Amino acid sequence: MMHSMSSNAAEATAGNEATESHDVYLKSLTLVERLHRRLLDVIKDELDRMGNTEINSVQALLIFNIGNQEMTAGELRTRGHYLGSNVSYNLKKLVEAGYINHQRSDQDRRSVRVKLTEMGHEIREVVEALYDRHWQQLEQVADIRMDELEMLNSTLFKLERFWTDQIRFRL
């Protein structure tokens, strides 16, 4: 009888640990999703402060990620930043607004290469300055040390690799 009680207690403990780790994973998923939305809110607030109502935060982030490079929409997608139709739509809007130049690739006429205009570089500098201000305030204001960020980055990279493998290998 004593053996049965300790076995039941061990099973209950294992069940509680599994439930707790499941809840931690779900909380992590919620935080990742919420953090991305909050980043977009922060960028939108910065655009509003400078009086730019012409582009949205997704487009400003797209501009930031293009940077000084010349690339295709496909290259932006493969970097994992955007969904296909989202990239095409936003690039079209940014070209129309004068933030991005585009031209057909000489090698593949179906492919369009994009790069920032002077206006695009100005937006990129706004986002970069915002990120720099935040980086300088992280430890003092948010109590986030660089070693904590390094650990977070390592963990997020592992999670990304896990999800990529789920898709690639259909696990």
Side-chain angles (χ1 to χ4, degrees):
M1 178 116 160
M2 183 78 121
H3 176 29
S4 174
M5 287 180 132
S6 64
S7 175
N8 288 343
E11 288 174 13
T13 300
N16 287 341
E17 288 173 2
T19 300
E20 286 175 19
S21 66
H22 178 263
D23 291 347
V24 168
Y25 177 66
L26 292 180
K27 183 176 183 177
S28 296
L29 297 179
T30 300
L31 284 170
V32 166
E33 184 181 2
R34 200 166 65 205
L35 281 171
H36 179 67
R37 284 195 310 269
R38 187 64 63 221
L39 173 63
L40 294 176
D41 290 344
V42 166
I43 292 170
K44 176 66 174 139
D45 183 62
E46 190 69 12
L47 292 172
D48 289 347
R49 288 176 198 217
M50 62 178 279
N52 186 314
T53 57
E54 197 171 33
I55 64 172
N56 63 40
S57 55
V58 170
Q59 293 164 341
L61 193 56
L62 183 63
I63 286 171
F64 179 81
N65 288 318
I66 292 171
N68 293 321
Q69 302 170 48
E70 184 176 304
M71 61 184 65
T72 66
E75 289 169 329
L76 283 166
R77 279 191 300 274
T78 35
R79 290 175 180 212
H81 295 297
Y82 310 94
L83 301 173
S85 61
N86 191 354
V87 171
S88 299
Y89 170 81
N90 283 307
L91 286 177
K92 179 182 176 203
K93 291 295 185 185
L94 290 168
V95 166
E96 290 171 359
Y99 291 93
I100 290 180
N101 283 327
H102 73 290
Q103 70 180 57
R104 294 252 171 239
S105 171
D106 293 333
Q107 291 80 22
D108 180 358
R109 300 303 294 165
R110 298 168 297 171
S111 177
V112 176
R113 300 198 65 75
V114 297
K115 66 179 181 176
L116 301 183
T117 63
E118 188 59 40
M119 286 174 47
H121 282 287
E122 289 172 12
I123 293 297
R124 186 184 192 292
E125 289 170 10
V126 166
V127 175
E128 187 168 27
L130 172 70
Y131 288 173
D132 285 348
R133 270 197 331 268
H134 290 173
W135 166 75
Q136 292 172 6
Q137 297 172 347
L138 278 177
E139 193 162 348
Q140 187 176 12
V141 176
D143 193 30
I144 299 172
R145 296 182 326 271
M146 286 304 118
D147 63 317
E148 291 176 304
L149 270 183
E150 288 171 356
M151 177 68 84
L152 174 64
N153 290 342
S154 174
T155 302
L156 290 172
F157 178 77
K158 289 175 186 178
L159 185 58
E160 179 188 26
R161 190 174 55 216
F162 171 74
W163 287 342
T164 299
D165 289 350
Q166 295 299 302
I167 296 164
R168 182 179 298 143
F169 303 117
R170 298 186 176 200
L171 300 174

